[in-house]
């Protein structure tokens, strides 16, 4: 699995209080392969996107359509051979 890229997709809506901890946890995982972390901001009105960018995630914004639509958008934008999902909380 070292040569395969892993994409982690996180749908987020007004998650400024939890997204930082989520991204910290993902970045502390013992993983030596290539990875990308994509946060799909689902129309948040808080600082979710700003915090996610500051923590190093790729942020994609969409109008509020719900977590399923956010996951689907994340899949379309992902560059990994393996796709994982988690929630911001």
């Amino acid at each position: 699995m070292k040569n395969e890229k892993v994409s982690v997709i996180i749908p987020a809506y007004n998650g400024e209080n939890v997204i930082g901890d989520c991204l910290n946890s993902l970045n502390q995982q013992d993983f030596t392969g290539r990875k990308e972390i994509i946060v799909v901001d689902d129309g948040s009105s808080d600082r979710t996107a700003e915090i996610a960018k500051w923590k190093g995630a790729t942020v994609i914004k969409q109008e509020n359509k719900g977590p399923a639509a956010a996951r689907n958008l994340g899949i379309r934008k992902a560059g990994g051979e393996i796709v994982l999902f988690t929630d911001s909380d």
Side-chain angles (χ1 to χ4, degrees):
M1 190 161 120
K2 286 186 178 182
N3 294 325
E4 297 169 324
K5 185 176 184 179
V6 174
S7 297
V8 181
I9 299 170
I10 307 166
Y13 176 73
N14 288 342
E16 73 178 355
N17 293 327
V18 293
I19 194 68
D21 288 339
C22 175
L23 294 169
N24 286 342
S25 293
L26 287 171
N27 286 321
Q28 291 175 9
Q29 296 299 310
D30 185 17
F31 178 76
T32 58
R34 298 177 301 135
K35 71 177 176 183
E36 67 178 344
I37 299 174
I38 300 171
V39 173
V40 181
D41 182 357
D42 190 32
S44 296
S45 60
D46 64 3
R47 296 176 46 238
T48 298
E50 178 184 335
I51 294 167
K53 285 180 189 175
W54 184 72
K55 294 287 185 175
T58 298
V59 176
I60 301 169
K61 292 187 173 194
Q62 71 173 19
E63 64 182 56
N64 185 256
K65 295 181 182 178
R71 287 184 189 98
N72 287 332
L73 178 58
I75 288 171
R76 288 193 299 274
K77 301 294 183 176
E81 292 84 12
I82 298 170
V83 178
L84 305 173
F85 298 98
T86 191
D87 292 320
S88 59
D89 60 351

